[in-house]
Amino acid sequence: MSHIRKSIFSTSYITLFLITLFNQQIMAQFSYKIDGIVKQNGKPLTGAIVSIFDFQSEKVKELTTPATGLFSFALKPDEEYNIFITKPGYITVKLIYSTIGFTPDEAKKFKGVSNPEIELFELPEDPKLVTKMNETFSKPLMSIYYANDEKKMVSDDDVQKSMQQEFVKYQKQADDLKSKSNAANEIETRYQSAITKADKALTEKNYKLAKDAYNEALGVKSTEQYPKTKLSEIEKIIAENAEKEKLAKEKELNDKYAAAIVKGDKALSIKDYASAKTSYNEAISIKNTEQYPKDKIKEIDTIIADATAKEKAEKEKAAKEKELNDKYAAAIAKADAALFSKNYDVAKNAYNEALIYKPTEQLPKDKIDSIDKTLAENAAKEKAIKEKADAEAAEKARLAKEKADAEAAEKERLAKLKADADAAEQERLAKLKADADAAEQARLAKQKAEADAAEQARLAKQKSDAEAAEQARIAKEKLDAEVAEKARIAKEKADAAEQERLAKLKTEADAAEQARLAKLKADAEAAEQARIAKEKLDAEVAEKARIAKEKADAEAAEKARIAKEKADADAAEKERVAKEKAIADAAEKEKIAKEEEAKAFEKKYKQIIAKGDSAIVVKDFDKAKVAFNEAMQLKPTDELPKSRIKEIETLIANADLFKNDLAKKYPIGLTEEVVKEGNTKVTRRIVVTGYKGILYEKKETNFGAIYYFKDGNAITELIYNKETNIK
């Protein structure tokens, strides 16, 4: 029993192996591939996605078309493929390729290629039309299958023709919608372009260009109220500007006069008399009846005259001082040069000359003392040098004697060493010669032994070759004898075959005669049997026809059942694909939403950081700290806001370093002072915020004019009151 089980197992294993090997051979020889192209409006479409699924709805491969639009895929035998071709924002088309139905022999020999050209177009914006398209294109655009009767891959032309008609219909509808949308968009674009151009010109106060652009917008959309309203607004602005221009010209004269007076007063306060006179003369040219600038010019002339006289006296005094200083400096320079050259006598005389010009100066006195000290030190050094030279000469003589004695001893030692070395060399050479003679004898002995061994090896090889040749000769003679024996046996067999052939011919002739007689009998019997057989055949044909009809009915029912199951499977697949697409779309939307949220978060964070950095630049450290603390709440682990807060604390600790002069002098807030500058009452308001102080001035002249300034620059009364009205 065990033996039977083992045999069955072995047989099954071999059968499975042979089937597997057979299928592999078929696949290795079967060659059918798809070399297709995806187009849009007849041009190759890049980025199209080609997804290939097998009969079990498992994805086999996914390709993305390059700029050429081409895609390629090799099919396997006995398989059905569903191929989906699409691109984001485009329709999705379906192809079916079935290689089911090949016999093994047909599959081995089959070679072919399919070159489908697939046209895609963009989905329209109409959701209802898109839904209809999706329903229609869920059916295959092409169905290619193996036809057993034609022995080739063929297309289901009815399906293809029907789907092509649907394709053309929907493509035309999509193109019509796109054309209508483009026309409406073009009108809207022209209108919006004109409005944008007009709004920009209005913002820039280019009223002529704005009017032209608003009128252009009305030419595109004559019923729009917005450009009409803006045109009325422009007319009103132009009228107001004309009135303002009139008032401005009147004010301009006063402002120019005030600015010239302020400029002159400011130049006078910093003693820039030339600029002051120019400004006051400018004020007179604007209002020649005003006395104030004339008085200021007289005041400047007096100041200049006094300054000129004072400057002359100071120059004369400075000239005398300069002459004395120059002589003193020349003497010092001469002395310093001589001292540098160690010409001490000339240096002392020059320093004494400098003391004549400036007896109270300490430098020449110190230099003279230094020279005297140097001269004394030099004398001492010369004495020490002489003593040292004498000692060195004595030492040199002693060393010369010691060197001569040492050299004599060294010569004696070297002579002895040379004699010893010569004797040692003689002994070494004798030993080397003896060693060389021994080595040569050993070499000759080895060479003779190797020659003897080579000769013995040659003789042994010669003997071996002779023995081998003899054995080969014997083997050849034996082989020739065997061939001759086989030839003799073959001849005997041929003779026996000829005798057997002749006997067979006689037997066949006898048999033919008997067969002729038997045939006559058989023909009679056959005629009877044929009649009986015909009657039986007619009965069998009728029976087979009945069975064939029953079988055809059963096959039709089976095909109907399979078709229904396939339709149900297609519907289920469609539902599954739609569901997966809905899930993928939802996931993509969620992903995009999260990315947008992350971008918004990052943008907000960067804006807060920028706000803090800007506050640091203007030294508003409190505002900066608030911004960076807010940034820390958004990203608690980020080091940037933490480091910025540390920088701010350091800046606050060193706050006085950043304050301008006004901020250092005055407290935070508003400080008001009233002073008199000539005939002008000046009200000063110093505003200190953080680390910056700003000076605002209100100047009331004796002729009734009032002028306002911010850090020396003219401003209006409104700005003066607004920026200094601190509560």
Side-chain angles (χ1 to χ4, degrees):
M1 189 68 181
S2 172
H3 173 73
I4 294 171
R5 283 201 302 269
K6 184 175 180 182
S7 176
I8 291 171
F9 173 78
S10 300
T11 305
S12 299
Y13 177 79
I14 291 168
T15 302
L16 178 62
F17 172 76
L18 290 174
I19 291 170
T20 304
L21 181 62
F22 178 71
N23 287 336
Q24 288 177 346
Q25 289 174 345
I26 291 173
M27 289 176 63
Q29 297 175 47
F30 180 83
S31 175
Y32 185 71
K33 64 186 294 192
I34 301 171
D35 285 336
I37 183 170
V38 183
K39 297 182 177 181
Q40 181 185 11
N41 295 326
K43 296 180 180 179
L45 180 63
T46 184
I49 299 167
V50 183
S51 303
I52 300 121
F53 295 85
D54 62 14
F55 188 69
Q56 287 76 30
S57 299
E58 292 185 4
K59 186 182 287 186
V60 176
K61 195 167 186 179
E62 183 169 285
L63 308 168
T64 301
T65 59
T68 59
L70 297 173
F71 66 94
S72 181
F73 176 69
L75 275 58
K76 296 178 181 179
D78 200 33
E79 185 60 86
E80 182 172 295
Y81 296 91
N82 287 312
I83 302 172
F84 296 91
I85 303 172
T86 188
K87 183 177 180 178
Y90 287 69
I91 63 165
T92 300
V93 299
K94 177 181 178 182
L95 313 179
I96 293 179
Y97 277 80
S98 175
T99 58
I100 297 171
F102 283 97
T103 66
D105 289 337
E106 290 171 346
K108 285 181 183 179
K109 300 174 183 177
F110 190 80
K111 297 185 185 300
V113 63
S114 176
N115 304 109
E117 292 189 9
I118 306 303
E119 183 81 15
L120 296 185
F121 60 85
E122 294 181 54
L123 290 169
E125 296 180 357
D126 185 347
K128 292 182 180 178
L129 183 57
V130 170
T131 301
K132 288 181 180 178
M133 286 183 177
N134 289 336
E135 289 176 359
T136 300
F137 293 127
S138 65
K139 301 172 186 176
L141 188 66
M142 293 172 56
S143 180
I144 311 296
Y145 62 93
Y146 180 69
N148 284 318
D149 51 348
E150 298 181 40
K151 305 301 180 185
K152 64 179 182 179
M153 298 291 288
V154 298
S155 171
D156 189 333
D157 294 335
D158 292 338
V159 170
Q160 187 168 344
K161 184 177 180 182
S162 172
M163 289 303 295
Q164 284 295 338
Q165 290 173 351
E166 292 293 316
F167 185 93
V168 171
K169 179 182 75 175
Y170 282 121
Q171 186 174 24
K172 185 176 184 306
Q173 291 179 9
D175 290 343
D176 291 345
L177 283 174
K178 189 173 182 181
S179 298
K180 290 177 182 177
S181 175
N182 288 342
N185 289 339
E186 184 181 355
I187 292 172
E188 184 63 24
T189 299
R190 286 171 56 204
Y191 174 76
Q192 290 297 336
S193 175
I195 291 296
T196 301
K197 180 180 175 183
D199 288 345
K200 185 173 183 291
L202 181 58
T203 302
E204 295 172 352
K205 299 182 180 180
N206 189 342
Y207 301 116
K208 183 180 182 307
L209 180 60
K211 283 179 70 176
D212 292 342
Y214 285 127
N215 281 318
E216 181 185 345
L218 281 173
V220 178
K221 286 188 176 183
S222 59
T223 59
E224 290 292 324
Q225 184 59 39
Y226 179 77
K228 296 176 182 177
T229 302
K230 286 296 182 180
L231 285 169
S232 300
E233 182 182 324
I234 290 170
E235 294 297 341
K236 184 179 178 183
I237 291 170
I238 291 172
E240 290 175 352
N241 286 346
E243 181 64 23
K244 286 179 182 177
E245 187 177 350
K246 180 181 176 183
L247 295 172
K249 285 181 180 178
E250 294 175 357
K251 186 176 179 295
E252 183 181 3
L253 194 64
N254 290 330
D255 288 344
K256 283 183 179 179
Y257 175 78
I261 292 296
V262 169
K263 192 175 179 182
D265 289 347
K266 186 175 182 180
L268 181 58
S269 68
I270 61 174
K271 299 181 180 180
D272 185 358
Y273 302 119
S275 297
K277 281 186 75 174
T278 300
S279 297
Y280 288 131
N281 279 319
E282 183 183 349
I284 291 170
S285 68
I286 296 168
K287 288 188 175 183
N288 59 8
T289 58
E290 291 293 330
Q291 188 60 36
Y292 179 77
K294 298 174 182 177
D295 293 340
K296 284 294 181 181
I297 289 172
K298 289 179 181 178
E299 181 183 333
I300 289 169
D301 290 340
T302 302
I303 291 171
I304 290 172
D306 293 343
T308 302
K310 184 180 179 182
E311 184 181 358
K312 184 179 178 183
E314 288 177 349
K315 281 183 178 179
E316 290 175 355
K317 181 182 177 183
K320 289 179 180 178
E321 290 180 354
K322 184 177 183 303
E323 183 182 2
L324 190 63
N325 287 335
D326 289 345
K327 288 180 179 180
Y328 173 79
I332 291 295
K334 181 180 177 182
D336 289 343
L339 182 60
F340 181 77
S341 303
K342 297 183 179 180
N343 193 343
Y344 299 115
D345 292 337
V346 174
K348 279 184 72 173
N349 291 335
Y351 285 130
N352 282 318
E353 183 184 350
L355 283 173
I356 293 170
Y357 301 126
K358 289 189 178 183
T360 59
E361 287 294 321
Q362 188 62 37
L363 176 65
K365 296 175 183 178
D366 293 340
K367 290 291 186 180
I368 290 169
D369 291 341
S370 175
I371 290 170
D372 290 339
K373 183 178 178 183
T374 301
L375 290 172
E377 289 174 351
N378 287 346
K381 283 180 182 178
E382 287 176 3
K383 182 181 178 182
I385 289 168
K386 186 175 181 305
E387 291 174 352
K388 182 181 178 184
D390 294 342
E392 286 176 350
E395 179 65 16
K396 188 175 181 182
R398 183 185 66 78
L399 292 172
K401 183 176 182 303
E402 288 181 355
K403 181 181 178 184
D405 295 341
E407 287 176 350
E410 180 65 15
K411 282 182 181 179
E412 184 179 350
R413 185 183 68 78
L414 290 173
K416 185 177 183 301
L417 286 174
K418 185 175 183 301
D420 293 342
D422 290 344
E425 180 65 14
Q426 295 271 346
E427 183 180 351
R428 185 183 68 80
L429 291 173
K431 185 176 182 299
L432 284 174
K433 185 175 183 302
D435 291 343
D437 292 343
E440 177 63 16
Q441 289 177 2
R443 185 185 67 78
L444 292 171
K446 182 183 178 185
Q447 186 175 2
K448 184 176 182 302
E450 288 174 349
D452 292 344
E455 179 62 18
Q456 289 177 3
R458 185 186 66 76
L459 293 172
K461 182 177 184 300
Q462 186 176 357
K463 182 181 178 184
S464 175
D465 292 343
E467 289 174 350
E470 180 62 19
Q471 288 176 1
R473 184 187 63 76
I474 293 167
K476 183 176 183 303
E477 289 177 355
K478 183 180 178 182
L479 180 62
D480 291 343
E482 288 176 353
V483 169
E485 179 63 18
K486 286 180 179 178
R488 184 186 63 77
I489 293 168
K491 185 175 182 305
E492 289 178 354
K493 285 183 178 180
D495 293 342
E498 178 62 17
Q499 290 177 1
E500 184 181 350
R501 184 182 69 79
L502 294 172
K504 184 180 178 184
L505 286 174
K506 185 177 182 301
T507 303
E508 287 176 352
D510 294 342
E513 180 61 20
Q514 290 177 3
R516 186 182 65 79
L517 296 173
K519 183 176 183 299
L520 292 173
K521 182 182 178 183
D523 288 344
E525 293 175 350
E528 180 63 18
Q529 289 177 359
R531 184 185 61 77
I532 296 168
K534 184 176 181 302
E535 291 177 355
K536 183 180 179 183
L537 181 62
D538 291 342
E540 288 175 352
V541 168
E543 180 63 17
K544 284 181 180 179
R546 183 186 64 78
I547 293 169
K549 184 176 182 303
E550 290 178 355
K551 183 180 178 183
D553 293 342
E555 287 176 350
E558 179 64 15
K559 285 182 179 178
R561 182 187 65 78
I562 292 170
K564 184 177 182 301
E565 288 179 354
K566 188 173 185 300
D568 293 342
D570 288 344
E573 174 65 13
K574 180 180 175 183
E575 183 180 355
R576 183 185 67 78
V577 170
K579 186 176 179 182
E580 288 180 355
K581 187 175 184 300
I583 293 170
D585 290 345
E588 181 65 17
K589 286 180 181 178
E590 184 179 358
K591 178 185 174 186
I592 292 169
K594 286 182 179 178
E595 287 175 353
E596 292 298 327
E597 185 180 348
K599 286 179 183 176
F601 177 84
E602 189 63 24
K603 182 179 179 183
K604 180 180 179 183
Y605 176 77
K606 288 180 179 177
Q607 286 175 343
I608 293 169
I609 292 293
K611 181 180 176 184
D613 289 339
S614 299
I616 290 177
V617 171
V618 299
K619 300 182 176 63
D620 190 349
F621 299 129
D622 293 335
K623 183 178 179 182
K625 282 184 76 173
V626 170
F628 290 125
N629 278 316
E630 186 179 352
M632 282 177 64
Q633 290 177 358
L634 293 177
K635 289 188 178 182
T637 60
D638 200 338
E639 288 297 321
L640 178 61
K642 296 176 184 177
S643 64
R644 287 286 197 275
I645 290 172
K646 287 180 182 178
E647 289 175 14
I648 292 168
E649 289 171 351
T650 303
L651 291 170
I652 291 173
N654 300 308
D656 287 339
L657 297 175
F658 301 100
K659 290 182 177 180
N660 64 12
D661 292 338
L662 288 172
K664 291 177 181 178
K665 183 177 179 181
Y666 293 94
I668 298 292
L670 174 65
T671 303
E672 185 172 298
E673 299 174 347
V674 180
V675 297
K676 265 295 220 187
E677 291 182 356
N679 296 322
T680 302
K681 176 186 174 183
V682 181
T683 302
R684 294 176 177 165
R685 290 184 178 179
I686 298 93
V687 177
V688 178
T689 55
Y691 307 97
K692 184 179 180 183
I694 302 172
L695 173 62
Y696 295 85
E697 293 178 295
K698 175 183 177 183
K699 294 190 176 183
E700 301 173 74
T701 64
N702 62 347
F703 54 84
I706 301 175
Y707 306 100
Y708 299 90
F709 304 91
K710 177 181 179 180
D711 283 340
N713 298 311
I715 59 173
T716 64
E717 180 182 2
L718 178 64
I719 294 173
Y720 176 85
N721 290 328
K722 181 180 178 182
E723 295 186 3
T724 61
N725 186 20
I726 299 175
K727 297 181 181 179

